[in-house]
Amino acid sequence: MDKSSSQRFDPLTRTWWLKHRFFKLYMVREATVLPLVFFILCLLAGFVSLLQGADSWQGWVAFMGSPIVLALNLLALAASLFHAATFFVLFPRVMPLRIAGHRLPDNMIVAGQWAGVLAVALLFFWLLGRA
Amino acid sequence: MSKQAMNKPAMNKPAMNKPDNPQGTTHKQAFDEPLWWGLFSAGGVCFAVFLPAVILFVGVLLPLGLLPAEALSYQRASAWLFSVPGVLFAGAVVCLPLFHAAHRLRHGLFDIRVGSDTVNKKVMYGAAALLSVLALGVVLAGMLS
């Protein structure tokens, strides 16, 4: 990219991305990190509460159950799945895999990554499904 | 695809950074960008693969009381977190996703032309680094106590 390339573009307005569905979807994907940050901050508070003791931990669990927090974390769950869906299709494009000279079909790579998500969820179920 | 092409066009271009670069003549080579893109990718993988399960179990099922009563009791949760796997958990679920989020927020702010990228960059990555240190610090403190 040469130094004068910026002069070929008009300055963007703040709302340029509202003009096309593709750009709106792009901005939605960018915004998936907002509920993610909320969940991470909640989780960090949980870490601190574990350091403080049992009462503090119970208080944190109750806090996580308050309606607004729960709703935002459900949004974070949806956002993480949306992010995963958009992220997994990039993998075969960025790094096509070849096995014995044959290109692995894109949908197999995507399915493999979803299998990873499922495996992690099953690990959690195995760890937490019984007391 | 070259490294330059991976970057957003005009991210470091003088014309787009007027407040920080009034002359608009120099074009600095950004040597740190591969680090931020690397942390962004690693965090993106964690966000996609680990976070759905963590949010489901810790953020939804636990507060709703849908887990067995003692599944995440104080004893169990602290024994798990304050351990070597706990350090890895903090890294994969807190630190890397934070850098992923910081990168997306920085570029998102650039996209809607809020603030200056030079400042946004420091604030975002700085916040991600501080919170990461806090997370790892809490886990290490728990391991030592």
Side-chain angles (χ1 to χ4, degrees):
Chain A
M1 209 178 286
D2 63 302
K3 284 188 187 182
S4 61
S5 61
S6 61
Q7 273 125 43
R8 277 190 257 120
F9 302 109
D10 288 332
L12 287 168
T13 61
R14 285 215 162 99
T15 51
W16 60 270
W17 50 278
L18 286 172
K19 287 173 187 148
H20 195 288
R21 188 179 161 272
F22 180 83
F23 296 132
K24 275 190 240 173
L25 267 179
Y26 163 80
M27 284 308 240
V28 168
R29 198 186 56 174
E30 293 287 283
T32 56
V33 299
L34 293 173
L36 169 73
V37 168
F38 177 78
F39 173 75
I40 291 178
L41 291 176
C42 287
L43 198 63
L44 262 177
F47 283 16
V48 174
S49 79
L50 273 181
L51 199 59
Q52 288 172 333
D55 289 345
S56 197
W57 172 251
Q58 284 311 318
W60 180 76
V61 174
F63 161 77
M64 291 296 276
S66 57
I68 293 173
V69 175
L70 196 61
L72 285 171
N73 283 329
L74 277 168
L75 186 65
L77 177 61
S80 70
L81 293 172
F82 178 67
H83 162 78
T86 60
F87 200 70
F88 291 163
V89 294
L90 291 178
F91 189 99
R93 294 200 218 168
V94 175
M95 200 159 57
L97 295 181
R98 293 183 159 274
I99 290 178
H102 293 285
R103 190 176 160 164
L104 214 59
D106 288 3
N107 55 12
M108 271 185 68
I109 300 179
V110 173
Q113 295 174 98
W114 281 113
V117 175
L118 196 64
V120 173
L122 284 175
L123 173 73
F124 269 78
F125 183 73
W126 179 71
L127 284 170
L128 298 172
R130 66 240 151 88
Chain B
M1 205 188 276
S2 74
K3 250 178 216 155
Q4 278 292 331
M6 293 273 294
N7 228 321
K8 292 201 176 139
M11 195 73 180
N12 302 308
K13 290 287 181 275
M16 301 295 282
N17 272 341
K18 276 204 179 109
D20 311 314
N21 193 358
Q23 279 82 37
T25 45
T26 52
H27 177 61
K28 273 197 289 182
Q29 179 74 44
F31 292 101
D32 55 338
E33 286 302 320
L35 171 67
W36 308 127
W37 283 92
L39 287 168
F40 167 72
S41 305
V45 173
C46 293
F47 183 15
V49 176
F50 299 127
L51 264 297
V54 176
I55 299 173
L56 176 64
F57 280 87
V58 180
V60 177
L61 297 181
L62 170 69
L64 284 180
L66 294 175
L67 296 180
E70 293 300 302
L72 266 179
S73 62
Y74 168 72
Q75 281 76 15
R76 240 179 152 202
S78 52
W80 271 337
L81 184 65
F82 302 140
S83 66
V84 175
V87 177
L88 299 177
F89 178 82
V93 174
V94 175
C95 304
L96 287 175
L98 272 175
F99 277 97
H100 176 87
H103 193 79
R104 278 229 158 127
L105 288 172
R106 173 196 166 196
H107 284 255
L109 288 176
F110 179 83
D111 288 338
I112 56 172
R113 306 194 66 202
V114 172
S116 93
D117 185 55
T118 317
V119 177
N120 291 348
K121 184 179 166 180
K122 288 182 181 128
V123 171
M124 291 302 160
Y125 298 139
L130 270 177
L131 291 170
S132 297
V133 168
L134 174 68
L136 294 173
V138 168
V139 175
L140 290 177
M143 286 169 81
L144 294 173
S145 66

